[in-house]
Amino acid sequence: MLDVKSSCCHYVGKIKSLELWFHSAHHCAKGASFSGDHKLLYNEIYTNTNKLFDKTVEKMISITDCEDVACPIGIADSTTNCLKNYTSPSNANPLTIAVSGCALIKDFIVEIEKIHQCLKGSNKLTLGTEDLLASTANDYEGYLYKMKQRIKGCVQ
């Protein structure tokens, strides 16, 4: 298992990758589902992920007592490593974008559980951080539902 600081840095990078990916999906939405995807789905996800990023970085600095979790170079590296595992929304068809976004959210929910276990196992999990992680899991489970509904019945 990664140490707490490394785990926190990794988690912050995952959040930034979600924000960047869904912001790109928002820009690259097209076709019959354009209006719903562009405004109602991807916009909501990337906007709320941006807010989550800010809250999380501040929590992680407090938990680790280290500003490395806010290092733009480290965040960019972690984000790039994460995004390599998913199809880019640019030049992708609407269904491919939705399927990739669904996979990204599913994987992020797993990351929420991993950081929770890491912090709990190292006695670094504060009540406020546990609340943030739980509410994040709740929000992203809601986004997962929306993404699954978006791709339901579509042929790939």
Side-chain angles (χ1 to χ4, degrees):
M1 181 197 295
L2 296 172
D3 65 82
V4 172
K5 185 180 101 176
S6 296
S7 294
C8 291
C9 288
H10 178 76
Y11 183 66
V12 165
K14 287 285 190 180
I15 295 171
K16 183 53 82 172
S17 66
L18 239 70
E19 179 191 350
L20 290 172
W21 194 96
F22 278 99
H23 203 160
S24 179
H26 163 81
H27 290 301
C28 296
K30 58 185 80 72
S33 59
F34 170 77
S35 293
D37 289 351
H38 178 76
K39 181 67 177 164
L40 301 175
L41 187 56
Y42 303 143
N43 183 69
E44 178 184 356
I45 295 171
Y46 91 77
T47 300
N48 289 332
T49 304
N50 178 266
K51 293 174 188 170
L52 172 64
F53 177 78
D54 186 62
K55 287 182 211 173
T56 301
V57 170
E58 291 169 358
K59 288 276 189 191
M60 298 304 161
I61 289 172
S62 179
I63 287 168
T64 63
D65 200 26
C66 178
E67 293 180 358
D68 290 350
V69 296
C71 173
I73 297 167
I75 292 169
D77 287 345
S78 182
T79 299
T80 300
N81 287 333
C82 175
L83 290 174
K84 289 178 183 177
N85 296 311
Y86 303 93
T87 301
S88 172
S90 61
N91 300 307
N93 69 55
L95 182 57
T96 298
I97 294 171
V99 168
S100 296
C102 190
L104 194 61
I105 289 175
K106 280 182 187 176
D107 292 346
F108 180 60
I109 291 168
V110 171
E111 291 299 323
I112 297 168
E113 294 172 6
K114 286 180 182 177
I115 193 67
H116 181 270
Q117 288 304 314
C118 173
L119 295 174
K120 187 175 182 178
S122 60
N123 293 317
K124 296 279 188 175
L125 185 63
T126 64
L127 187 58
T129 302
E130 186 163 46
D131 180 61
L132 176 62
L133 294 172
S135 67
T136 300
N138 187 53
D139 289 346
Y140 285 83
E141 287 169 6
Y143 296 145
L144 182 59
Y145 164 76
K146 291 177 181 181
M147 294 300 295
K148 285 180 171 181
Q149 290 300 104
R150 165 64 181 83
I151 61 178
K152 188 178 277 187
C154 295
V155 178
Q156 183 161 331

